[in-house]
């Protein structure tokens, strides 16, 4: 039987590279397209080293329709996983047009080209950011979406809508939006992981860089929230588990098991962990001390959110498997690999 091929846009990025590895492990061919605007060619090398497969890589911007069309002309994939997007919440507030242009144009190009070339299955990287500050925990896929807090978040909501409307209108196309909670960790080989540029905005890279001595002190943004220890609560999902959810989503569509043309799944563990808990778990799991101080709240932070992943468990046949300690050890191993520690 001919191997199924998947185009991974943004495949040199954090989640994209891990997904490429899992797809190959599950028997798929993969083509990576990435403009390297916030990613690194070494991630593609990492994917090749882990899998032993010379994965094709095209350096192209999905917003550049002509360049992107060439990828469709050259490769015969039936499915696309679309990661390529800008993702810094704070930057999106300062440069909204960059976010709308990048994230919407690239996604609309994907859909147009899939139609033009008769490609069938699309997975879109969405985010739990679409739920805003939820009234009830945990959130299910039926929890109402709220107006986005940032242009970045708004692009996720808008792309979900573009996908929903396109799938309704166009035959031959089906799609799944995966709403990620907070992806953390790295591949157990420590050959790929998260590569933040400059000062990390997210919690785990800040913790690992503090442990490595690159940052002096972690600022914990607020300990006066209405949570048990006063710090914010999130659902931290291992990036390898998250990558596997994409494989399950692609399989579901290829096997014709999807119940609707457009489906949505929460991808989280179902477990809420506070910032302070995470810091202490990291210290215990890795036997290192994290220098931290409590500072004021960060503007725009959600107090608490965690997933009800039941639908993904039952329908996708996917479940988060890695323990938080394993994930935190992998995050630290990756940081040490990067810094030659
Ligand atoms: N935090 C700190 N100190 C830091 C960094 C983060 O205390 O130096 C805290 C934040 O205040 C928050 C928690 O750690 O309470 C997690 O923060 P992250 O920045 O790691 O993640 P967010 O939940 O803010 O954002 C993430 C993704 C977004 C996505 C959002 C959806 O980065 O892309 O989840 O909720 F939109």
């Amino acid at each position: 039987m001919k191997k199924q091929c998947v185009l991974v846009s943004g495949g040199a990025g954090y989640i994209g590279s891990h997904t490429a590895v899992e797809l190959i492990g599950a028997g798929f061919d993969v083509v990576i397209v990435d403009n390297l605007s916030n990613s690194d060619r070494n991630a593609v090398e990492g994917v090749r080293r882990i899998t032993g497969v010379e994965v094709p890589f095209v350096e192209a911007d999905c917003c550049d329709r002509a360049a992107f069309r060439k990828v469709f002309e050259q490769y015969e994939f039936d499915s696309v996983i679309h990661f390529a997007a800008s993702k810094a919440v704070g930057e999106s507030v300062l440069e909204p047009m960059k976010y709308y242009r990048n994230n919407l144009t690239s996604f609309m190009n994907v859909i147009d080209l899939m139609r033009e070339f008769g490609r069938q299955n699309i997975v879109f990287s969405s985010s739990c950011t679409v739920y805003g500050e939820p009234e009830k925990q945990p959130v299910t896929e039926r929890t109402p979406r709220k107006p986005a807090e940032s242009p970045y978040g708004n692009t996720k909501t808008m792309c979900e809508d573009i996908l929903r409307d396109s799938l309704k209108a166009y035959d031959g196309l089906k799609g799944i939006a995966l709403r990620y909670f907070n992806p953390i960790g790295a591949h157990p080989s420590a050959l790929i992981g998260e590569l933040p540029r400059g000062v990390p905005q997210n919690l785990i890279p800040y913790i690992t860089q503090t442990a490595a001595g690159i940052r002096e002190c972690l600022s914990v943004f607020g300990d006066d929230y209405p949570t048990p220890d006063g710090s914010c609560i999130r659902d931290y999902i291992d990036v390898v588990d998250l990558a596997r959810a994409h494989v399950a989503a692609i399989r579901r569509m290829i096997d014709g098991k999807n119940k609707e043309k457009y489906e949505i799944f929460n991808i989280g563990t179902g477990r809420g962990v506070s910032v302070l808990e995470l810091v202490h778990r990291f210290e215990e799991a890795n036997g290192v001390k994290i220098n931290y101080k409590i500072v004021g709240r960060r503007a725009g932070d959600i107090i608490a959110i965690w997933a009800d992943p039941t639908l993904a468990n039952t329908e996708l046949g996917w479940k988060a498997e890695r323990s938080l300690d394993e994930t935190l050890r992998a995050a630290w191993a990756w940081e040490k690999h990067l810094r030659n520690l």
Side-chain angles (χ1 to χ4, degrees):
M1 208 175 77
K2 188 175 146 276
K3 264 181 139 184
Q4 293 276 350
C5 183
V6 182
L7 178 74
V8 181
S9 80
Y14 175 43
I15 307 172
S17 56
H18 288 81
T19 300
V21 167
E22 295 307 311
L23 284 165
I24 293 165
F28 290 91
D29 281 335
V30 166
V31 177
I32 291 176
V33 59
D34 201 302
N35 68 357
L36 303 180
S37 64
N38 188 30
S39 54
D40 196 294
R41 199 178 287 278
N42 285 332
V44 178
E45 283 315 313
V47 172
R48 290 174 176 160
R49 278 184 63 191
I50 294 167
T51 60
V53 174
E54 208 40 38
V55 185
F57 167 56
V58 183
E59 185 177 342
D61 188 337
C62 301
C63 292
D64 177 346
R65 175 86 73 118
F68 201 14
R69 172 177 282 106
K70 287 203 186 112
V71 181
F72 279 75
E73 283 165 356
Q74 197 180 347
Y75 296 98
E76 280 189 33
F77 44 85
D78 292 319
S79 308
V80 179
I81 305 182
H82 183 63
F83 293 104
S86 305
K87 62 164 192 179
V89 178
E91 184 190 44
S92 80
V93 175
L94 301 173
E95 291 187 67
M97 285 313 290
K98 172 179 170 182
Y99 276 69
Y100 289 118
R101 191 173 299 111
N102 252 355
N103 294 6
L104 301 184
T105 309
S106 65
F107 190 55
M108 290 189 289
N109 281 345
V110 171
I111 292 180
D112 280 344
L113 288 166
M114 287 184 74
R115 288 183 61 214
E116 184 182 330
F117 286 82
R119 311 295 165 86
Q120 286 127 33
N121 312 311
I122 176 155
V123 175
F124 172 63
S125 319
S126 192
S127 164
C128 68
T129 194
V130 301
Y131 297 116
E133 182 79 66
E135 263 131 54
K136 247 177 50 197
Q137 306 287 356
V139 294
T140 76
E141 292 77 359
R142 287 173 308 286
T143 298
R145 294 186 315 183
K146 293 231 175 111
E149 293 271 343
S150 68
Y152 158 78
N154 205 20
T155 66
K156 293 296 175 195
T157 307
M158 290 165 90
C159 284
E160 283 194 354
D161 291 347
I162 291 170
L163 184 58
R164 180 201 60 210
D165 294 346
S166 301
L167 295 173
K168 207 183 285 170
Y170 307 134
D171 288 338
L173 204 60
K174 48 191 170 181
I176 292 179
L178 299 180
R179 290 179 179 158
Y180 314 155
F181 284 68
N182 286 53
I184 62 165
H187 193 267
S189 65
L191 290 172
I192 52 173
E194 198 170 1
L195 263 182
R197 294 200 170 155
V199 181
Q201 304 298 309
N202 296 115
L203 181 58
I204 280 293
Y206 209 105
I207 289 178
T208 56
Q209 289 195 10
T210 306
I214 299 161
R215 310 280 154 207
E216 214 169 284
C217 183
L218 167 76
S219 295
V220 171
F221 299 133
D223 70 346
D224 56 353
Y225 285 102
T227 60
D229 66 17
S231 64
C232 294
I233 295 177
R234 296 287 183 274
D235 184 334
Y236 295 94
I237 171 81
D238 187 282
V239 68
V240 175
D241 279 333
L242 174 58
R244 289 185 184 139
H246 296 78
V247 178
I250 289 289
R251 273 223 193 288
R252 178 173 175 86
M253 290 187 281
I254 289 174
D255 296 345
K257 294 213 171 111
N258 52 305
K259 293 193 173 140
E260 314 278 345
K261 283 190 82 194
Y262 174 45
E263 295 181 315
I264 299 169
F265 296 102
N266 282 344
I267 304 298
T269 64
R271 164 195 69 204
V273 176
S274 78
V275 174
L276 288 169
E277 275 173 337
L278 197 71
V279 171
H280 295 131
R281 278 294 279 275
F282 184 91
E283 291 181 323
E284 278 160 34
N286 290 304
V288 291
K289 281 289 312 150
I290 302 296
N291 194 15
Y292 74 88
K293 60 174 188 265
I294 310 287
V295 301
R297 294 180 176 192
R298 181 170 74 174
D301 262 340
I302 300 299
I303 302 167
I305 185 164
W306 65 95
D308 177 344
T310 306
L311 198 65
N313 299 163
T314 54
E315 284 295 319
L316 276 185
W318 169 90
K319 203 170 181 309
E321 280 167 7
R322 303 189 76 199
S323 72
L324 186 55
D325 286 351
E326 272 177 288
T327 304
L328 295 174
R329 282 195 286 267
W332 179 224
W334 165 244
E335 186 70 53
K336 286 195 289 189
H337 165 84
L338 276 180
R339 314 292 165 194
N340 296 318
L341 294 175

